[in-house]
Amino acid sequence: MVTSRQRYEEPGASLPAADTQNGVRIHRVWTSRFGRHKLLGRTADYLSFYLSAGWLLFGIVKPGDTVVAKTDPPLISVVAAMVARWRGGRLVNWVQDVFPETAMALGVEGVSGWLGRALQRVRDASLRQAAVNVALGEKMAGYLVGRGGRRDRTEVIHNWVDDDSIVPTPPGQNRLREQWGLAGKFVVGYSGNMGRAHEFETILEAAAQLRSETDIVFLFVGGGNQKAYLERETAERGLDQVLFKPYQDRALLPESLGIADVHLVSLRPELEGFVLPSKFYGVAAAGRPVIFIGDPDGEIGGILRSAHCGAAIRPREPVELAKLLRTLRDDGDLRREWGRSARRLIDRRFSRKQAMSLWSGVLSRDRASPREDQPVEQQVPGAENR
């Protein structure tokens, strides 16, 4: 494993350059330490990681090795593709987020225009070179095929959670409820990253509409780019029923997910096919219903509809969100039914065991990397505008 020496939320953390855990050799390369909160600093961290990781990979990859490239930092697949080609390795792209499209859709300064198109071209080349491109969902897979990835070399493997330790437990048996002063409350949870890809105005406006219903509490657990904005907005709007907690230790994840009666998951509709909010799987494993704020016809919206484990509403519909939260507060049978359906969905489709089986098939499959002159499927209509 090749990674950095930084922690996600602690850029100043000092992790060892080399380590072995559970029989896995870990190489932690040097990078700059500006952190994730400033665009220029994050860019510098990315560039230094590309150089350090590429240099290390060139030294350790042997002919026939499989190199699995994730997408944080973005475009690391380009570095991995070059090393795999030079050293005779086999490239597998594990696409968590589609970049630069995500940045372009969010209007990140400097990424649109000619630079964005240039980044797409080099990324597309790494898709064509890969023996397999693994996407998180069907919409993402379709987009990758449209950008040049071969259909027969594109697989869908959803992210997963530790569904053995994260299991449904009644909220009343959750010790964090007492510790955090939430006993007897109807808790609306949001767990994980609060980033640019997520839509929060609908949640804030719904919380404002429900401020007089003191038995309803909104709980945000995690961090990210928009956390400071959310804390500032809740203070300015006087939303005293909104609480914030930091990321919890992994050992507390079953309780921090199970503390809520219902969870909110959001994604800006323009990012469908580029990002998939993986917090959904932990919530479902905990047996909690989900309200998705985003495109009802998107990946998560479709899953909720087919599995009958939640509901999807479009952004900027706070009245509908508030109405749905009242319904779930007052209708315990519906809440429990959706929660049971969510857990059955994990057991049936998204368990860790199933994901590991699919990954085992990808990694053991004997596929040669496609040649540059091999044809690729025609781009799907409108892919360049997504």
Side-chain angles (χ1 to χ4, degrees):
M1 177 178 287
V2 179
T3 184
S4 79
R5 300 175 192 175
Q6 300 184 44
R7 294 187 187 276
Y8 185 77
E9 288 289 315
E10 299 178 63
S14 180
L15 297 174
D19 197 2
T20 299
Q21 295 187 21
N22 298 323
V24 177
R25 182 66 171 168
I26 302 171
H27 306 269
R28 296 190 179 97
V29 300
W30 175 89
T31 64
S32 59
R33 292 173 173 265
F34 294 103
R36 303 177 61 89
H37 301 293
K38 298 291 185 180
L39 182 60
L40 287 177
R42 184 187 296 194
T43 300
D45 290 351
Y46 286 164
L47 291 173
S48 59
F49 181 81
Y50 297 150
L51 293 171
S52 296
W55 179 260
L56 178 65
L57 278 173
F58 189 81
I60 64 176
V61 172
K62 303 182 296 296
D65 282 353
T66 295
V67 180
V68 180
K70 293 191 73 175
T71 48
D72 193 5
L75 299 180
I76 193 61
S77 66
V78 176
V79 176
M82 290 189 292
V83 173
R85 181 180 291 275
W86 291 336
R87 302 294 288 169
R90 175 177 178 265
L91 175 66
V92 174
N93 287 318
W94 188 0
V95 184
Q96 297 281 324
D97 305 295
V98 181
F99 186 88
E101 284 84 346
T102 298
M104 295 166 72
L106 291 174
V108 175
E109 186 177 356
V111 181
S112 300
W114 68 268
L115 178 58
R117 293 190 295 272
L119 294 176
Q120 284 178 310
R121 285 195 292 272
V122 296
R123 189 277 320 280
D124 290 349
S126 72
L127 296 178
R128 291 192 297 270
Q129 181 183 326
V132 187
N133 293 304
V134 177
L136 300 186
E138 296 294 342
K139 289 184 178 293
M140 183 182 290
Y143 184 80
L144 297 180
V145 171
R147 294 299 310 186
R150 290 166 52 111
R151 175 70 67 182
D152 61 340
R153 298 183 187 276
T154 303
E155 302 287 346
V156 175
I157 303 179
H158 287 256
N159 276 340
W160 64 91
V161 293
D162 184 357
D163 49 292
D164 291 327
S165 65
I166 301 176
V167 296
T169 55
Q173 298 178 15
N174 192 305
R175 61 178 178 172
L176 289 182
R177 281 203 163 224
E178 290 289 344
Q179 294 177 14
W180 292 357
L182 296 172
K185 301 292 186 178
F186 179 76
V187 180
V188 181
Y190 181 98
S191 179
N193 184 36
M194 306 170 204
R196 292 182 178 91
H198 308 116
E199 200 274 344
F200 293 108
E201 186 61 29
T202 305
I203 301 173
L204 290 171
E205 292 182 12
Q209 292 186 23
L210 295 169
R211 75 170 78 230
S212 63
E213 301 183 41
T214 56
D215 59 327
I216 299 179
V217 174
F218 289 77
L219 173 66
F220 289 84
V221 180
N225 177 268
Q226 292 204 69
K227 184 177 182 181
Y229 159 78
L230 287 168
E231 291 176 324
R232 184 174 63 253
E233 285 294 311
T234 55
E236 292 179 356
R237 301 184 193 197
L239 302 178
D240 297 331
Q241 82 278 33
V242 180
L243 303 179
F244 293 90
K245 295 291 182 179
Y247 281 110
Q248 300 298 298
D249 186 87
R250 184 181 295 272
L252 287 176
L253 190 58
E255 290 177 285
S256 68
L257 288 173
I259 196 172
D261 295 281
V262 57
H263 277 262
L264 304 177
V265 175
S266 71
L267 180 67
R268 296 182 181 277
E270 61 268 27
L271 295 179
E272 275 292 341
F274 301 154
V275 179
L276 199 153
S278 294
K279 57 175 64 68
F280 163 75
Y281 305 100
V283 172
R288 296 297 184 265
V290 172
I291 299 177
F292 175 62
I293 303 164
D295 183 358
D297 296 321
E299 195 84 31
I300 296 297
I303 290 173
L304 294 178
R305 187 165 51 251
S306 63
H308 306 289
C309 61
I313 64 171
R314 296 187 183 279
R316 302 290 180 173
E317 292 188 355
V319 174
E320 184 66 24
L321 176 57
K323 178 181 177 181
L324 190 52
L325 290 174
R326 290 190 186 99
T327 297
L328 287 170
R329 176 197 58 186
D330 298 337
D331 192 341
D333 289 340
L334 176 63
R335 195 167 66 241
R336 287 185 287 272
E337 178 187 344
W338 279 3
R340 287 190 294 267
S341 295
R343 178 63 201 202
R344 283 196 297 268
L345 174 68
I346 293 295
D347 295 335
R348 188 175 70 251
R349 292 184 56 191
F350 301 136
S351 70
R352 181 170 60 172
K353 182 178 180 180
Q354 289 168 305
M356 292 301 99
S357 177
L358 292 171
W359 264 108
S360 179
V362 166
L363 297 177
S364 62
R365 195 173 305 155
D366 183 18
R367 288 181 171 184
S369 295
R371 301 187 307 273
E372 288 294 326
D373 59 348
Q374 284 183 309
V376 297
E377 292 196 14
Q378 185 178 359
Q379 184 170 335
V380 294
E384 70 280 1
N385 296 319
R386 293 183 185 174

